[in-house]
């Protein structure tokens, strides 16, 4: 147990900070042309991805040929923290760099790696993740979009929904059913589908805040012909790959969420004395108490993340990991909720939305109340909070599964 | 920041856990709750001579034999120099099994005052297991008057842990007429010199007493922290934080034991043809309870490392740890009892030992609201 990392990690940090200072995009450059969707990479973001790749800073844990420097897990953790602290995005295409590229590298053919994964790593392409459907949300394995083999092509028909960044992405990492006659987890495969293929219709779904900058979409597939060599991994192995791909940078996905919480909390602590100055003392004390409670949550989130990380870094398992998604998304929501309520009716005034580009577009931004509404993206997507609680109860606490309806 | 025990610390935890499983079984705790005399109890196959009423069946004697009071203490103080993380490991293992005895009061509350005072000789006796002590905090409750070379103390100290059994009490008192950070000091008072009223409390493993000081005369050699020294206030704040962090660690471990007991019960108990733990209503409550324990536990260990490394973040970390213990105790007590149903409501079941211990640790040394108010100041929300 110790508060500081050892020398080798600190010298890694120093090297990174020196390189960032010399090479990072400026705040002005980012704000002038911010990303407006997780599938949208403005010109500066594409250059920045390439610059990081060439210098081995894009995915530090990978070897140099994949844009890394064989960094240790602890070094990678420090890297993620320092990028967030410097308010530089690692990428605007979070799902492309975080899930799609690593999955293709793990399971794809050399041609797929070259054409699709490397394009993401070079900043030349963005990807979206075609998972949820109207009748397959939390129960993803029930998805019905089907791909039928026809000669040297698959023909895809169906509909995806909540597809982040599909309105800008160059290709889709598409989960589809290739065998309707086997148990539902076994008939799912993954295809790489170019978004400009005929038969694809993308309909953006403006959200409850910032409707001018939709990130979520419905995607319709109508007899879309996809070359058979775009099948990733084995036919029918899509479900296993979906689970495997989430293990990339294992134990570190919490870093940006916690940094987002801390950034929001710092702003709240900074504003609060002025906001509450005119309140009667009792009301002020009640407001302060609520702020303190989220401050405790924020510190706890970081401590839980570090502890999970320490356990994984020692080769063990970390039940805390299962908690991080639930806890960090709910804390982020509480920070915005408390901040808006402390503001009172002033919270109702919406301003001009000015994204400054330093966060991915799916992070809560704007006024406190807008942040509050937007924070539900993270308590609903990627497994709702309710699903997370069930996962914690069953996989961490070992409680018996609910009997399947007969 | 590395918030996981290293190999030596894990080994200490495993040893402590296996020792306590043998030496502090629920039957020992039950003996205490049911008021049976348990001195001279057989421990590990041999009769151990008791060390007084706080010895609880020779448990303390056995801990002394293992060197536990010396483990964290500095080598200059007769200790083994393993630092606060080792102390934290023991405090939490004791909380896990609701262990009675002088460890919390003597090692985590009394000894830190001696450290602040540089009282090496007394610390040597604590490390050797030859001296037990208690800490009577709260400067507002007692006054100190200079009297020649010595001092005269007056006042009433409430809820003093081990106040009726400790040999020496570190009494915090304030110079007559002083205010704020000025005039606060600590004095070493033999228990025999004060009027002790043991309280009948809900958890006999954490015995509390009221101490009445009625013109108690203390000679100059027994001043631990001189009230005329402006540094004494901060020194006592550090002592209070040390005690608070240890209490938080111990209490969270008790809460974790409640979660484990409740999860295990939910797997065994069947209703409507299935384990009650398969119902989502139960699952989600247990997931939230588990989260509350992990939250408090992570904060308690963070505070422990801040204390061990003498880091400037200690005041915030300690207050957060104790506030989070309060949150998790409230949930653990409520849901632990509720989800056990009728059986957990019976005296015969061991669950209530855990519930009462957890509640005691949460309420002593400032509850959640107290520490949140302190945090509001630390975080700059109020002056």
């Amino acid at each position: 147990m110790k508060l500081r990392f050892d020398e080798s990690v600190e010298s890694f940090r120093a090297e990174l900070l020196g390189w960032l200072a010399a090479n990072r995009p400026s705040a002005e450059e980012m704000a002038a042309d911010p990303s407006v969707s997780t599938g949208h990479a403005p010109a500066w973001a594409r250059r920045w991805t390439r610059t990081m790749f060439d210098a081995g800073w894009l995915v530090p844990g990978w070897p140099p040929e994949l844009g890394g420097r064989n960094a240790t897990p602890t070094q990678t953790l420090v890297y993620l923290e320092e990028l967030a602290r410097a308010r530089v995005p690692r990428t605007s295409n979070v799902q492309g760099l975080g899930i799609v590229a690593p999955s293709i590298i793990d399971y794809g053919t050399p041609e797929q790696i070259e054409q699709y994964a490397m394009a993401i790593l070079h900043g030349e392409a963005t990807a979206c993740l075609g998972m949820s459907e109207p009748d397959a949300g939390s129960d993803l394995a029930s998805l019905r979009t089907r791909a039928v083999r026809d000669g040297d092509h698959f023909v895809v028909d169906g509909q995806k929904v909540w597809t982040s960044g599909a309105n800008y992405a160059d290709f889709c990492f598409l989960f589809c059913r290739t065998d309707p006659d086997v148990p539902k987890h076994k008939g799912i495969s993954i295809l790489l589908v170019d978004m400009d293929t005929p038969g694809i219709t993308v309909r953006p779904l403006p959200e409850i805040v910032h409707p001018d900058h939709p990130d979520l979409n419905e995607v319709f597939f109508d007899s879309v012909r996809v070359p058979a060599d775009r099948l990733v991994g084995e036919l029918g192995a899509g479900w296993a790959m979906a689970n495997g791909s989430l293990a990339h940078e294992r134990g570190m996905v919490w870093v940006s969420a916690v940094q987002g919480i801390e950034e929001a909390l710092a702003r709240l602590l900074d504003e609060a004395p002025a906001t509450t100055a005119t309140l009667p003392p009792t009301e002020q004390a009640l407001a302060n108490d609520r702020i303190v409670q989220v401050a405790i949550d924020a510190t706890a989130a970081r401590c839980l993340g570090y502890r999970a990380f320490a356990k994984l870094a020692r080769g063990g398992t970390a039940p805390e990991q299962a908690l991080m998604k639930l806890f960090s998304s709910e804390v982020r929501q509480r920070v915005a909720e408390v901040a808006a309520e402390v503001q009172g009716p002033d919270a109702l005034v919406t301003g001009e939305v000015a994204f400054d580009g330093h966060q991915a577009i799916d992070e809560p931004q704007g006024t406190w109340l807008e942040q509050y509404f937007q924070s539900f993206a993270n308590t609903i997507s990627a497994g709702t909070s309710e699903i997370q609680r069930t996962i914690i109860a069953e996989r961490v606490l070992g409680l018996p599964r609910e009997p399947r309806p007969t | 920041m590395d918030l996981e025990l290293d190999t030596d610390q894990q080994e200490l935890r495993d040893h402590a856990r296996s020792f306590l499983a043998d030496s502090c079984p629920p039957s020992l705790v039950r003996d205490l709750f049911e008021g049976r005399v348990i001195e001279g109890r057989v421990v590990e196959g041999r009769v151990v001579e008791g060390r007084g009423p706080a010895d609880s069946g020779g448990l303390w004697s056995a801990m002394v034999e293992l060197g536990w009071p010396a483990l964290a203490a500095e080598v200059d103080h007769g200790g083994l120099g393993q630092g606060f993380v080792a102390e934290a490991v023991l405090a939490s293992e004791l909380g896990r099994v609701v262990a009675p005895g002088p460890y919390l009061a003597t090692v985590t509350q009394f000894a830190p005052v001696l450290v602040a005072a540089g009282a090496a000789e007394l610390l040597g006796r604590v490390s050797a297991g030859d001296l037990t002590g208690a800490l009577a905090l709260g400067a507002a409750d007692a006054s100190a008057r200079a009297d020649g070379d010595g001092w005269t103390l007056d006042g009433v100290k409430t809820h003093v842990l081990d106040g009726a059994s400790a040999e020496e009490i570190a009494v915090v008192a304030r110079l007559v007429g002083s205010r704020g950070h000025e005039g606060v000091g600590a004095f070493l008072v033999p228990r025999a010199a004060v009027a002790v009223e043991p309280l009948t409390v809900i958890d006999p493993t954490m015995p509390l007493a009221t101490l009445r000081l009625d013109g108690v005369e203390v000679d100059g050699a027994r001043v631990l922290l001189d009230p005329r020294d402006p540094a004494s206030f901060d020194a006592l704040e550090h002592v209070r934080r040390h005690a608070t962090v240890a209490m938080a660690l111990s209490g969270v471990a008790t809460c974790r034991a409640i979660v484990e007991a409740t999860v295990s019960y939910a797997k065994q108990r069947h209703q409507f043809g299935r384990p009650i733990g398969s119902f989502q209503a139960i699952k989600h409550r247990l997931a939230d309870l588990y989260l509350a324990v992990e939250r408090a536990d992570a904060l308690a260990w963070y505070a422990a490392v801040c204390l061990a490394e003498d880091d400037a973040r200690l005041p915030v970390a300690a207050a957060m740890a104790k506030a989070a213990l309060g949150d998790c105790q409230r949930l653990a007590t409520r849901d632990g009892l509720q989800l056990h149903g009728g059986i957990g409501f019976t005296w015969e079941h061991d669950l209530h030992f855990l519930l009462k211990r957890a509640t005691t640790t949460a309420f002593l040394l400032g509850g959640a609201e107290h520490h949140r108010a302190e945090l509001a100041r630390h975080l700059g929300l109020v002056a």
Side-chain angles (χ1 to χ4, degrees), chain A residues 1-5 77 268-269 272-273 276 284 287-289 291-293 295-297 299-300 302-304 306-307 309-311 314 319-320 323 326-327 330 334 385-390 392-394 396-403, chain B residues 1-7 9-10 85 256 259 263 266-267 274-275 277-280 282-284 286-288 290-291 294-295 297-299 301-302 305-306 309 311 313 319-320 323-324 327 369 371-373 375-376 379-382:
Chain A
M1 285 227 181
K2 51 188 187 340
L3 289 172
R4 280 164 207 85
F5 292 120
L77 177 71
L268 172 58
L269 288 171
T276 61
Q284 193 177 42
N288 285 338
D289 192 53
I291 297 169
V292 167
Q293 294 192 34
I296 298 173
D297 284 332
T299 305
R302 179 163 288 278
C303 291
L304 280 171
Y306 276 130
R307 193 156 69 169
F309 175 77
K311 287 181 182 171
R314 281 165 210 195
E320 289 92 342
L323 295 174
L326 171 67
F327 189 55
E330 293 198 340
R334 281 202 287 277
S385 292
E386 290 64 39
I387 291 291
Q388 300 300 325
R389 286 185 170 84
T390 300
I392 291 163
E394 292 177 359
V396 181
L397 301 179
L399 290 166
R401 295 177 74 97
E402 195 116 15
Chain B
M1 186 155 61
D2 180 354
L3 286 181
E4 178 62 358
L5 296 175
D6 66 28
T7 319
Q9 291 158 350
Q10 284 179 12
V85 174
R256 190 180 288 281
V259 177
V263 166
K267 288 177 189 171
R274 53 195 262 212
S278 66
F279 290 101
Q280 196 176 61
I282 307 259
K283 278 183 186 165
H284 285 196
L286 285 170
D288 281 333
Y290 174 70
L291 174 58
E294 287 291 331
R295 171 183 183 266
D297 194 53
L299 286 167
W301 284 102
Y302 169 56
V305 184
C306 288
E309 297 188 14
D311 190 89
R313 288 169 283 188
M320 285 187 170
D327 297 338
E369 288 76 10
H371 287 282
R372 291 206 300 269
L375 284 164
L379 298 175
L381 293 166
V382 288

Side-chain angles (χ1 to χ4, degrees), chain B residues 68-382:
Chain B
W68 284 11
L71 202 61
E74 286 177 30
V75 176
D76 293 352
H77 299 149
L80 299 169
Q82 294 194 13
F84 184 73
V85 174
E87 185 176 320
V89 167
L90 296 183
S92 85
E93 290 306 314
L94 293 170
R96 212 173 156 270
V97 295
V98 196
Y103 189 89
L104 277 184
T106 298
V107 177
T108 76
Q109 302 191 356
F110 178 67
V113 196
L114 303 182
V115 172
E121 189 268 329
L122 289 165
L123 281 164
R125 289 173 57 202
V126 168
S127 292
D130 290 335
L131 176 64
T132 58
L135 173 63
L137 277 170
D141 305 333
S143 67
R145 212 162 4 94
D147 189 2
D149 286 345
W151 297 80
T152 302
L153 306 179
D154 284 281
V156 181
K157 291 290 178 180
T158 55
H159 313 112
V160 179
L161 182 64
D162 285 2
S165 59
E167 291 155 76
E168 296 279 354
I169 323 277
V171 173
V172 175
R174 161 185 289 296
L175 277 180
V176 175
S178 69
R179 294 174 57 186
H181 294 194
E182 305 278 310
V184 178
F187 304 84
L188 186 68
V189 179
R191 189 190 75 244
V194 301
V196 176
E197 293 167 16
L199 299 167
T200 306
V201 287
I202 197 154
D203 172 15
T205 70
M206 298 281 277
L208 305 178
T210 305
L211 307 182
R212 290 182 194 283
L213 297 98
D214 191 7
V216 172
E217 291 181 6
V218 181
D219 69 41
R222 283 185 158 264
V223 178
L224 293 171
L225 294 166
D226 194 317
R228 293 165 302 199
D229 181 351
S232 293
F233 180 84
D234 284 342
L236 278 166
E237 281 294 278
H238 193 268
V239 168
R240 185 175 64 80
R241 290 185 182 119
H242 183 136
T244 300
V245 174
M247 189 68 81
L249 286 155
S250 199
V252 175
T254 312
C255 291
R256 190 180 288 281
I258 296 174
V259 177
E260 286 170 8
T262 311
V263 166
S264 146
Y265 181 74
K267 288 177 189 171
Q268 286 158 18
R269 171 74 176 163
H270 281 65
Q271 285 290 276
F272 306 103
R274 53 195 262 212
I276 60 167
S278 66
F279 290 101
Q280 196 176 61
I282 307 259
K283 278 183 186 165
H284 285 196
R285 280 177 83 156
L286 285 170
D288 281 333
L289 178 53
Y290 174 70
L291 174 58
V293 170
E294 287 291 331
R295 171 183 183 266
D297 194 53
L299 286 167
W301 284 102
Y302 169 56
V305 184
C306 288
L307 181 62
E309 297 188 14
D310 201 15
D311 190 89
R313 288 169 283 188
L314 176 63
V316 168
M320 285 187 170
K322 194 62 170 56
L325 168 64
D327 297 338
C328 116
Q329 171 271 325
R330 193 182 309 118
L331 213 56
T333 305
R334 187 194 74 184
D335 288 358
L337 182 49
Q338 179 69 24
L339 298 183
H340 268 80
I343 193 71
F345 191 65
T346 65
W347 182 268
E348 266 175 65
H349 196 282
D350 292 340
L351 178 72
H352 67 109
F353 306 149
L354 292 164
L355 303 178
K356 292 166 181 174
R357 171 76 163 238
T359 308
T360 301
T361 56
F363 285 20
L364 291 178
L365 298 175
E369 288 76 10
H370 172 89
H371 287 282
R372 291 206 300 269
E374 190 175 315
L375 284 164
R377 289 189 294 277
H378 286 308
L379 298 175
L381 293 166
V382 288

Side-chain angles (χ1 to χ4, degrees), chain A residues 115-131:
Chain A
Q115 193 180 345
Y116 290 97
M118 296 313 286
I120 291 175
L121 301 179
H122 288 157
E124 292 157 0
T126 61
C128 59
L129 203 49
M131 297 179 98

